[in-house]
């Protein structure tokens, strides 16, 4: 993108005449452009959102860093370390990891994928899918090309169980006419062979899949599971950020000040006299001392009242 293109005739001339760039006239512009493009790419500005890495970087540098520098005392600096840093880390990284792990566990338990993963069979790289993804996977199959094979490949790619999904649809009996295996790879291979041979068993199962209603049992299960995991992640995050971390900081601060109050003062010894009720008053001018007994003070006060 060029800004104020009409104000840069020398740039246009350089492009038109295929001249070599003048590095002295434009020092570092190429480097700045590449750095800028990299920042824009990391921030994902084309889609109006920040990547996770960019969010964490900005939060730690500008939010946590500024709070730490502006802290007024040790208590506030300690709270930045024990409250703000965990809060940013949990919001930016902990919640996606937590919900991804839960989605991975549900996928493995039910066989119905509700997670995606950059690495197959890796709980640390799993992430919770969206409601749109769930709908795309398990509905509107009548308009899909080669719906049976594509559905099987989708289930395999996201770590689910083909047999469990087909059983949830209610077509396990028809699947058994093609393959009785529990392994996804063997079921896909047998189904592809049946398709190539024009087997009737393939046509029957594919027609059943093609005519699955949009509100089928697999879609209902996946939607509920996805929503519950997401709500659970929000609830856990709210509990940690809204109660646990603030409560922990209050306890730490109170304990710290209790230790200061109960610790004996070093180097200060109270003056001991024969009269324990002696009152010492520092003079406003100079360092004079006024000594009174409690009994004398009481009598004086009574005399004053008459």
């Amino acid at each position: 993108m060029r800004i104020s293109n009409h104000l840069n005739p020398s740039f246009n001339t350089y492009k038109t005449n295929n001249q070599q760039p003048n590095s002295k006239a434009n020092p570092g512009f190429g480097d700045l452009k590449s750095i800028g493009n990299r920042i824009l790419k990391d921030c994902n500005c084309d889609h109006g959102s920040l990547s996770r890495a960019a969010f964490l970087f900005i939060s730690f540098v500008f939010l946590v860093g500024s709070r730490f520098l502006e802290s007024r005392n040790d208590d506030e600096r300690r709270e930045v370390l024990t409250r703000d840093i965990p809060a940013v880390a949990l919001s930016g990284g902990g919640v996606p990891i937590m919900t991804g792990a839960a989605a991975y566990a549900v996928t493995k338990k039910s066989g119905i994928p509700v997670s995606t993963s950059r690495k197959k069979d890796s709980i640390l790289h799993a992430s919770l899918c969206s409601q749109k993804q769930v709908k795309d996977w398990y509905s509107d199959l009548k308009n899909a090309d080669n719906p049976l094979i594509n559905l099987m490949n989708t289930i395999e790619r996201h770590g689910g169980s083909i047999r469990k999904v087909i059983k949830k649809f209610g077509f396990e009996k028809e699947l058994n006419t093609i393959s009785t295996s529990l392994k996804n790879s063997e079921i896909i291979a047998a189904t592809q062979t049946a398709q190539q041979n024009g087997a009737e068993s393939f046509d029957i199962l594919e027609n059943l899949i093609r005519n699955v209603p949009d509100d089928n049992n697999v879609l209902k299960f996946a939607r509920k599971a996805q929503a519950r995991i997401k709500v659970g992640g929000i609830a856990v995050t709210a509990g940690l950020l809204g109660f646990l971390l603030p409560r922990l900081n209050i306890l730490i601060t109170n304990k710290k000040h209790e230790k200061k109050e109960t610790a004996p003062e070093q180097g200060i010894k109270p003056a001991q006299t024969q009269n324990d009720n002696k009152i010492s008053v520092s003079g406003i001018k100079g360092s004079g001392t006024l000594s009174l007994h409690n009994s004398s003070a009481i009598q004086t006060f009574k005399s004053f009242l008459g």
Side-chain angles (χ1 to χ4, degrees):
M1 179 179 70
R2 299 178 188 175
I3 301 175
S4 302
N5 189 36
H6 63 286
L7 299 177
N8 296 280
S10 60
F11 181 83
N12 293 333
T13 305
Y14 146 69
K15 282 293 184 182
T16 304
N17 297 333
N18 294 322
Q19 297 176 356
Q20 294 297 322
N22 188 346
S23 59
K24 293 182 179 180
N26 300 286
F29 279 14
D31 294 338
L32 290 174
K33 184 177 180 181
S34 63
I35 294 173
N37 290 335
R38 184 172 181 179
I39 293 174
L40 291 175
K41 182 179 179 181
D42 288 339
C43 291
N44 196 18
C45 290
D46 291 340
H47 298 84
S49 62
L50 292 173
S51 66
R52 188 180 303 173
F55 170 80
L56 290 173
F57 175 79
I58 292 173
S59 298
F60 278 123
V61 172
F62 296 102
L63 176 62
V64 177
S66 62
R67 279 186 56 82
F68 187 84
L69 293 176
E70 294 296 326
S71 298
R72 295 169 296 181
N73 50 50
D74 290 341
D75 285 335
E76 290 189 359
R77 281 186 283 272
R78 192 260 310 152
E79 286 185 359
V80 171
L81 299 178
T82 59
R83 181 188 63 193
D84 296 343
I85 290 179
V88 171
L90 181 63
S91 301
V95 173
I97 292 175
M98 179 174 57
T99 56
Y104 179 89
V106 170
T107 297
K108 291 301 179 183
K109 178 68 175 179
S110 66
I112 301 175
V114 291
S115 66
T116 59
S117 180
R118 297 190 303 273
K119 292 184 179 180
K120 190 175 180 181
D121 293 332
S122 175
I123 191 171
L124 296 178
H125 293 86
S127 59
L128 178 65
C129 66
S130 65
Q131 288 284 329
K132 184 180 183 303
Q133 287 175 309
V134 167
K135 184 178 179 181
D136 290 342
W137 294 345
Y138 307 123
S139 68
D140 200 24
L141 298 175
K142 59 181 177 294
N143 296 320
D145 295 330
N146 201 10
L148 179 57
I149 297 296
N150 286 339
L151 176 64
M152 289 183 174
N153 287 331
T154 298
I155 297 168
E156 162 66 12
R157 185 166 57 253
H158 296 296
S161 169
I162 293 175
R163 177 160 293 278
K164 289 182 178 181
V165 172
I166 297 297
K167 182 179 180 180
K168 191 74 173 179
F169 277 127
F171 308 142
E172 186 178 23
K173 181 179 178 181
E174 287 75 12
L175 177 62
N176 288 335
T177 61
I178 298 175
S179 174
T180 58
S181 176
L182 298 176
K183 295 182 179 179
N184 289 344
S185 58
E186 294 179 359
I187 293 175
I188 292 174
T191 304
Q192 289 174 336
T193 300
Q195 182 184 32
Q196 293 169 1
N197 295 336
E200 183 181 3
S201 57
F202 174 83
D203 293 335
I204 292 173
L205 183 56
E206 185 175 56
N207 287 332
L208 290 172
I209 293 296
R210 192 185 298 275
N211 292 292
V212 164
D214 289 343
D215 59 342
N216 58 78
N217 292 333
V218 175
L219 179 61
K220 290 178 180 179
F221 175 88
R223 275 184 165 175
K224 288 181 180 179
Q226 193 272 350
R228 287 171 180 170
I229 293 171
K230 193 166 187 178
V231 171
I234 294 173
V236 171
T237 304
L240 291 174
L241 298 182
F243 177 77
L244 186 61
L245 285 179
R247 182 63 179 169
L248 179 62
N249 277 279
I250 291 172
L251 292 175
I252 293 174
T253 302
N254 290 342
K255 188 173 182 180
K256 180 179 178 181
H257 286 285
E258 285 176 1
K259 288 182 177 180
K260 286 184 177 180
E261 292 174 358
T262 56
E265 295 181 356
Q266 300 296 327
I268 300 177
K269 295 182 179 180
Q272 297 292 330
T273 64
Q274 294 179 351
N275 196 345
D276 292 337
N277 293 323
K278 183 178 179 180
I279 300 174
S280 231
V281 180
S282 296
I284 298 176
K285 294 181 181 180
S287 59
T289 301
L290 175 64
S291 299
L292 294 174
H293 292 290
N294 285 344
S295 58
S296 300
I298 294 171
Q299 293 297 328
T300 303
F301 184 69
K302 286 182 178 180
S303 300
F304 175 77
L305 293 178

